[in-house]
Amino acid sequence: MTFMKKILLIIAIAISTNIYAQKGSSQFSLFGGFEHFPELKCRNGYNVGVEFKHYLNNRVYALANFHAGVNDGTKNVSYTRDEIDYNFDLSNSVRDYMIGFGIGGDLLHINRHKIYMQGTVGIGSSEQYEDGITLSPGGAYDIVKTYEEKSTRFAISASAGYDYQLTDWLSIGVNYTGWQIGYEYKNSANVKLGVIF
């Protein structure tokens, strides 16, 4: 069973259990944190986003989210070729964006504590700029050339998280989220601030 199928199965089990939430309540949240980019030379980046959830009944909510992942890495390359010394700073920059819609459920809701799981499907776009070393047009020396790739593809996300309700209208939390835009999977650990209404 693949990772995403396991996540969807856990969400389905959570939705089918008898747990408590406020029917008709909504929450708008801002989140941000560390994001891991496994396919890049510099794998550490960050992400920010927004999320809106609205409870459909006592345990299940509809969800919409927007996510932006950013990675800016630089690698220094020094070498000598044909008696010429080269020293290049090669950049690798990625911008990922996703908008998704889905469903979630509270696994546990006791007093001000809430543990939840959720998933979304939607559309994502990716922009990647990567420097590479190539020969000059005449072939006399090495130069840096930037390669650009842009794409728009399907996207999915799955999250597990914890929220603590500070007041009647304010909550804080943490979550772990996996983002897959096209065939590239990334994951993030976030802090979250939410407004309940």
Side-chain angles (χ1 to χ4, degrees), residues 1 26 28 42 54 67 74 91 107 114 116 161 181:
M1 186 179 288
S26 298
F28 178 81
C42 179
H54 177 75
H67 156 79
T74 301
S91 296
L107 300 176
K114 187 184 296 184
Y116 63 89
I181 299 176

Side-chain angles (χ1 to χ4, degrees), residues 104-116:
D106 293 340
L107 300 176
L108 181 68
H109 189 174
I110 300 175
N111 298 325
R112 296 180 177 272
H113 305 275
K114 187 184 296 184
I115 296 173
Y116 63 89

Side-chain angles (χ1 to χ4, degrees), residues 30-153:
L30 303 172
F31 64 86
F34 165 83
E35 183 163 349
H36 181 65
F37 292 75
E39 77 280 7
L40 301 180
K41 298 181 184 85
C42 179
R43 298 182 176 186
N44 300 330
Y46 66 91
N47 78 119
V48 294
V50 296
E51 173 184 280
F52 173 78
K53 58 173 77 170
H54 177 75
Y55 280 89
L56 303 172
N57 60 33
N58 287 339
R59 60 186 182 270
V60 179
Y61 55 86
L63 168 72
N65 62 4
F66 172 77
H67 156 79
V70 177
N71 184 306
D72 290 313
T74 301
K75 181 180 182 180
N76 181 265
V77 176
S78 299
Y79 62 94
T80 301
R81 189 176 72 80
D82 295 335
E83 299 182 358
I84 301 174
D85 294 327
Y86 294 98
N87 186 21
F88 296 122
D89 287 325
L90 303 181
S91 296
N92 192 177
S93 176
V94 174
R95 302 287 184 271
D96 284 337
Y97 306 98
M98 176 193 170
I99 185 166
F101 302 90
I103 196 163
D106 293 340
L107 300 176
L108 181 68
H109 189 174
I110 300 175
N111 298 325
R112 296 180 177 272
H113 305 275
K114 187 184 296 184
I115 296 173
Y116 63 89
M117 293 193 75
Q118 63 192 34
T120 65
V121 296
I123 191 164
S125 68
S126 219
E127 301 174 4
Q128 182 166 347
Y129 305 91
E130 183 173 9
D131 289 345
I133 299 171
T134 187
L135 288 174
S136 63
Y141 53 90
D142 292 351
I143 60 171
V144 173
K145 182 177 180 181
T146 301
Y147 299 91
E148 179 181 319
E149 181 182 336
K150 295 183 180 181
S151 58
T152 300
R153 299 170 287 181

